[in-house]
Amino acid sequence: MNALGRHILAEIYGCDAEILNDRENIERIMVESALRAGAEVREVAFHKFSPQGVSGVVIISESHLTIHTWPELGYAAVDVFTCGNDVNPWDACNFLTSMLNAKHMTATEVKRGIFEQPVKVANL
């Protein structure tokens, strides 16, 4: 079976609370995660909540990366969805986990757009 994309759902625990609450730093780390995975960044949008927490999205030609942080819990919920075969979503997740100084990460990969016959994915 062939899939159009790979979607990583990551639960990242034991993260540095200061990093998780710093919108600019989270944005920089997320963009760098996308680039290290081999993605082409298109747009970026991040928001800092009061009193704490950050949510954001990095739109890539191959799909997207998203994050929502809970600094008070040292936790981040992350999605990395990539289409095609040129980008490795695990590279993004592993880099991000490292940069958050996380103690533990669990993740699940979901194949998206599964077809029984070969599907040619155009380069975007």
Side-chain angles (χ1 to χ4, degrees):
M1 293 208 195
N2 294 307
L4 293 176
R6 300 165 66 192
H7 195 163
I8 308 297
L9 306 170
E11 307 285 316
I12 307 176
Y13 300 96
C15 303
D16 183 309
E18 286 186 31
I19 295 171
L20 292 180
N21 207 35
D22 183 337
R23 188 199 64 78
E24 293 82 11
N25 201 15
I26 290 292
E27 181 177 325
R28 180 187 59 75
I29 291 169
M30 290 289 287
V31 168
E32 184 63 25
S33 295
L35 295 173
R36 286 181 179 244
E40 182 179 349
V41 175
R42 293 296 185 164
E43 293 186 41
V44 176
F46 283 79
H47 177 78
K48 171 77 168 69
F49 292 96
S50 180
Q52 58 197 355
V54 175
S55 283
V57 60
V58 176
I59 303 298
I60 57 177
S61 294
E62 302 81 6
S63 196
H64 68 270
L65 291 79
T66 63
I67 189 168
H68 188 77
T69 72
W70 284 263
E72 71 277 20
L73 301 175
Y75 169 75
V78 173
D79 288 3
V80 180
F81 183 17
T82 64
C83 297
N85 299 314
D86 296 332
V87 178
N88 185 343
W90 288 105
D91 289 344
C93 285
N94 290 331
F95 177 77
L96 175 61
T97 299
S98 173
M99 294 303 294
L100 296 177
N101 295 330
K103 291 182 175 59
H104 183 69
M105 185 262 285
T106 61
T108 302
E109 180 174 337
V110 177
K111 303 291 188 202
R112 305 295 303 268
I114 298 174
F115 293 89
E116 291 189 26
Q117 56 185 328
V119 174
K120 181 171 171 78
V121 178
N123 288 335
L124 302 175

